Amino acid sequence: MSSNQEEIPEIKKTESNSETWIIGKEFRFEASHQLPNHDGKCARLHGHSWRGVIYVSGNELVNSGGKQGMIMDYGDIKKHLKPLLYDYLDHYHLNETTGLVNPTSEAIAKWIYEQLENKIPGLVAVRIDETCTSKCIYSKGKSNFLIL
């Protein structure tokens, strides 16, 4: 190394600069709901073509086997999500099936998160799009990530 080149120190990996991956599994369902406390038209029974995303985060990839190079297989997320779609969400009235009195996008995102949090390791957030312009992301104390 010449005398006018500065030596670059080695950066040791710490929690603050370690790698993180966030994956998302999209899902869709058709459902009705009613917001009884709303001061506008949403107090009436109506429906949406809902879209959601389950976000999972991890700092390590599987290093062998059929899931090598993944933090989690998208199929494993789908396996846990499928019963919620079939038994509670798709083509149902959300006030009845979820037990939510006021099933706002915020309440539905939290409800889905709570149904999955003990089944999907690394779950960081659930996003619910009520319409193409109205969205909500719910996370339980995990705000150190960026989701666009």
Side-chain angles (χ1 to χ4, degrees), residues 20-122:
T20 299
W21 290 267
I22 299 173
I23 61 171
K25 177 65 176 166
E26 184 175 318
F27 61 97
R28 295 176 183 271
F29 61 97
E30 306 292 326
S32 65
H33 72 152
Q34 188 171 4
L35 305 178
N37 302 319
H38 194 267
D39 58 359
K41 63 185 179 180
C42 293
R44 298 190 298 265
L45 176 65
H46 64 285
H48 298 283
S49 294
W50 303 81
R51 175 188 174 267
V53 183
I54 304 298
Y55 291 102
V56 177
S57 175
N59 299 100
E60 294 181 14
L61 301 178
V62 176
N63 59 15
S64 64
K67 298 179 184 186
Q68 183 175 353
M70 302 177 183
I71 61 167
M72 173 176 270
D73 190 320
Y74 292 111
D76 292 339
I77 299 170
K78 184 178 180 180
K79 175 181 71 178
H80 294 296
L81 184 58
K82 196 173 182 179
L84 295 181
L85 292 171
Y86 287 136
D87 296 336
Y88 299 95
L89 300 173
D90 193 33
H91 286 80
Y92 284 103
H93 182 56
L94 300 177
N95 297 65
E96 295 172 359
T97 58
T98 63
L100 299 168
V101 175
N102 195 40
T104 60
S105 293
E106 295 87 342
I108 294 164
K110 181 178 179 182
W111 183 87
I112 293 170
Y113 186 101
E114 289 176 344
Q115 303 307 305
L116 297 175
E117 69 181 321
N118 293 324
K119 297 174 182 165
I120 299 178

Side-chain angles (χ1 to χ4, degrees), residues 49 127-136:
S49 294
R127 174 177 163 171
I128 289 293
D129 299 0
E130 185 172 314
T131 69
C132 59
T133 61
S134 303
K135 303 159 187 349
C136 169

